[in-house]
Amino acid sequence: MKKVFNTLSALLLLQVGAYAQQPAHKTSTAKIADVLAQQPAEEQVKFLSAMRELESFTAEDIATLLQGLKPQGQDNAAVEYAANSYAFYVMQSGMDAKRATFSEGLILALDRISDKDNKGFVLTLMKQASKNEAIQAIVPYLKDDYLVDRAALALNGIRTAEASQALSKALAEAGSEKATTAIVAVLGDLRSKSDEDAVLATLAKYQDENFQRNTYTALSKIAGAKSAPVFLQKLKSVNYQFDKSNIGGLTLDYANNLFDEGQQKLATSIATTISKEAEKAGSAALQVGALQLLTKANPAKTRKQLMKAASSSNTLYRAAALDLLREHGSDADTKTLIATLRKSSPEVQESILNFLAKEASANDVPAIEKSLGNVQHTRAKIAALNTLSKLSNYANTDYLIGEIAQADALTTEAIKSLLLSSKNPTVVESINKSVAGSDVKTQLVLLELLSQRTNAQSSQVVLPLLSSADNNVKTAALKALPNVVNAADYDTLVKLLPEASESDARYIQQALVIALHSSNDTDAKIKALAASIASNPTAQSVKYFPVFAGIGGDDALKAVKSYLDNANLRNAAIASLSGWSTPDALPTLITLSRTEKDEANFETAFRGLVRQINASSHTAEQKTLLLKDAFALAKNTAQKRSVLGSLQGTGTYQAMMFAAKYMNDAELKGSATNTAMSIATETHDFDGTDVRNILNAAMSNLSGSESAYLREAIVRHLSEMSAGEGYVSIFNGKDLTGWKGLVENPIKRAQMSEKELADKQAAADKNMRENWTAVNGDLVFSGHGDNIATVKHYGDFEMLVDWKLDPNGKEPDAGVYLRGTPQVQIWDISRTEVGAQVGSGGLYNNAKNPKDPLKVADNVLGEWNTFKIRMIGEKVWVWLNGELVVDNVTLENYWDRNQSIFPKEQIELQAHGSQVWYRDIYIKELDVQ
């Protein structure tokens, strides 16, 4: 019924008085049918309609409605919902007449219904809606063991003097333990003091533990004075412990209720007795309860007991006392507690110190410090240090440092934590001053702190310790060095590096990088350093390579690259380039990955290549191109997996399709599946047959603990995907299916007869097959012949295509014809004599509208590039390597400047006088309204 009550809470907020009564001439049967037809009435309109119907019910109608209840287990939902709703409804202000009618109906129903469970339901309704008029009808059921609980609760709901009297009489006549239990519980809820004697008498009648607990609970609520010796005697009989009757807790409840009702003297007497006897019996929980009540009654009088309890060996009792002192204690109490520290046990010291951290003041710090000579236990010592730090507002740095020498491991860690988190602005200054003259243990701790917290003077403290005779101190100084150095330390570090061991050098190298980054003349210093090692290349030169890698830039790159031809230093140079901190090493790593023969060096260069691609600021499309090239260079499965994993981060369609090609590869299927699946499900932009096939294949490949979850995610994504087609591959990588040779231009083709066009198409196809070939997944133009065209015609579309020009070709040049019209330009941007320096991607043949791209985004000649081309109507957008180079520009009809662009035509890849490669060609047809 919880749902019913929650619903009613909302519905009864409505104003209901404005609704008129329903016609009174309806029969009882009709009325009931109308009400039940609307159950359950959780909607506002249905609820109010049902309530209006019930307002017209007579007592007989109510009784008849409830007589319709079926035996338990059958469907009574409609009747129960309606009756429950109305029971709450009639309790609103101004509806007492309706309530009385309803209650009269309940009385009739209670008499007429034979099923006891249904009688119990009626009694529950009486608890909600009846008053004195129902008492006599309820009383007989106080003798019925099956219904006595419901009957007693009904009288509890009526909650009048008459109801209490009826219960009192019933208690005297109760003939069973169950009836007595139910009646006693309700008399307790009613706090019926006049029944205290009768309730007390039942304790001797039934010895069952549940009965005893129920009765003592009732007596604790009644809180009559006669119960006091009974409670104390019972508590004594269990030696002031908690038992199954919970007499300890109930006695405390009883005493607190006495106190709240004005019987403070008796309440404190009971609490005092409990406190004394519980202490003897070692019952800390009872001691706590008694102490809380005594403190509530008279804090000043209980002060001595609180102070004693604050030093108790019992943790629970001590904690309760300290909590009470926080509320009721004084400054004098705080000072007294400080004085007790010297003679207290470690556990008590810890508790008091934690208390002092919140309640003491800065004025108490000297007194606490004096007591610390007797605080030796680790936990107590740590509590003391925390307390002093907080009370002194972290001005105790010197004191904390002075404690390090004698501190054990845990205390030392606590001191470090306090110094690191200290809000004192001079804490690092104090650490700096203390390092030189401290013992070795303290030096090690302070150096560790300086490796995390420092100021401008800290390097002058750390640098001298690099030559310490103690190896541990020297190592700690080296570890702190990168955190403390500044630009002024550069010359010192440069002198230190050549003589440093390999293990020491890495810290000095890190420090040099930091010093250079903070310098105002970084470039000049790098040039000088590069020139220095270039003039005298030795085995020590490699120590500067990580410095160059950490700084990056052209000068540093040139310095390291110059050693690639040095057989002795080549390995170190490649390692440095692999860890280069800026993207300017990427071209070098690409070259190394293509040329390096040594397996170990190739692994180093390849790892750096993939890392540099991932860390670069390149567009996702450019990263995809670079990673696909890297995959082609990979020499082992691990390297290929690293590329496939990196492709996931690009999120591009081409990356997804590339990974999907390896989903059936035994060694690569895991990485390939994860990448393809992740890209497909992380965006709703990709749909169509290929994507669905990828996701279905991924479900078959999944395994491991997360496979079920991932399958569910795929199924959900598939269900949400658009039913339409997405990108479709128009080059299968194996042959020229879907492609044809070029026959004239669209205007001339339209003028040809069917036979003429067929003949010319046959000749063009023959020429195409002689000059265009599918090679290892690429569509390759030989450099001779004419354009290749799609068999299919396209209207509005998006196109993806990778392309590459021959770096050794004669006048490298190409393009993409859109709807048979030239063209999205592709060329060698070094050909300035023809204006190619503007970059690829422009609408080269435009005369009135913009023809040049917005920026140059071409890769180096001979490297792969990628277009995304969108054409809607006569407007064109072009992205080159992820950069927008044409933005909403009209493509002019080159074949007839007086006509608009053709609404639907073929796509062509332009043939020119140089070799060209195309791959990964996808088209998505757009349905633009």
Side-chain angles (χ1 to χ4, degrees), residues 677-816:
M677 174 189 63
S678 296
I679 294 176
T681 55
E682 286 172 5
T683 175
H684 288 279
D685 293 338
F686 302 153
D687 44 32
T689 301
D690 285 343
V691 180
R692 293 186 186 90
N693 289 341
I694 287 171
L695 290 175
N696 283 316
M699 281 198 285
S700 299
N701 283 357
L702 288 173
S703 61
S705 59
E706 295 185 355
S707 58
Y709 165 78
L710 293 172
R711 286 191 184 93
E712 288 181 13
I714 291 174
V715 170
R716 182 168 60 252
H717 188 83
L718 284 168
S719 69
E720 295 171 353
M721 276 180 60
S722 168
E725 193 57 89
Y727 286 111
V728 175
S729 175
I730 60 172
F731 171 56
N732 63 22
K734 301 174 183 178
D735 55 42
L736 302 181
T737 301
W739 296 87
K740 63 183 179 181
L742 176 64
V743 176
E744 298 295 347
N745 63 61
I747 294 176
K748 289 185 177 180
R749 288 197 298 273
Q751 295 170 348
M752 294 179 185
S753 67
E754 185 176 338
K755 183 177 184 308
E756 181 184 6
L757 180 59
D759 291 342
K760 287 183 176 289
Q761 188 64 64
D765 288 347
K766 180 176 181 299
N767 178 268
M768 174 199 71
R769 286 189 289 273
E770 291 173 354
N771 296 291
W772 292 85
T773 53
V775 181
N776 296 325
D778 297 340
L779 180 57
V780 185
F781 173 60
S782 66
H784 305 283
D786 215 334
N787 295 3
I788 191 170
T790 59
V791 171
K792 184 173 180 177
H793 288 192
Y794 296 92
D796 295 335
F797 63 87
E798 277 186 0
M799 179 180 185
L800 305 175
V801 57
D802 292 356
W803 55 269
K804 179 172 67 172
L805 297 176
D806 183 1
N808 300 314
K810 181 181 179 181
E811 299 180 351
D813 195 335
V816 180

Side-chain angles (χ1 to χ4, degrees), residues 25-38:
H25 61 271
K26 283 188 179 181
T27 65
S28 179
T29 302
K31 289 178 183 179
I32 293 171
D34 286 345
V35 168
L36 297 183
Q38 300 180 71

Side-chain angles (χ1 to χ4, degrees), residues 644-661:
L644 287 170
S646 295
L647 279 167
Q648 181 181 334
T650 69
T652 65
Y653 189 85
Q654 296 96 320
M656 176 185 68
M657 295 302 294
F658 182 86
K661 291 189 292 187

Side-chain angles (χ1 to χ4, degrees), residues 106-118:
L106 297 178
I107 294 169
L108 293 174
L110 186 62
D111 181 58
R112 297 173 185 175
I113 292 173
S114 59
D115 184 272
K116 285 197 172 184
D117 290 310
N118 291 334

Side-chain angles (χ1 to χ4, degrees), residues 7-16 47-48 51 85 88-90 92:
T7 302
L8 292 173
S9 298
L11 296 178
L12 289 175
L13 294 174
L14 298 169
Q15 296 295 323
V16 299
F47 172 78
L48 290 175
M51 295 303 101
S85 300
F88 281 87
Y89 182 82
V90 296
Q92 296 180 100

Side-chain angles (χ1 to χ4, degrees), residues 504-524:
D504 292 351
R506 61 192 179 101
Y507 297 108
I508 300 174
Q509 290 159 349
Q510 293 172 25
L512 266 171
V513 170
I514 292 169
L516 282 166
H517 274 305
S518 61
S519 176
N520 292 324
D521 57 347
T522 303
D523 291 342

Side-chain angles (χ1 to χ4, degrees), residues 326-338:
R326 284 193 180 95
E327 184 178 355
H328 302 287
S330 64
D331 291 342
D333 295 332
T334 300
K335 296 185 185 304
T336 301
L337 286 173
I338 294 172

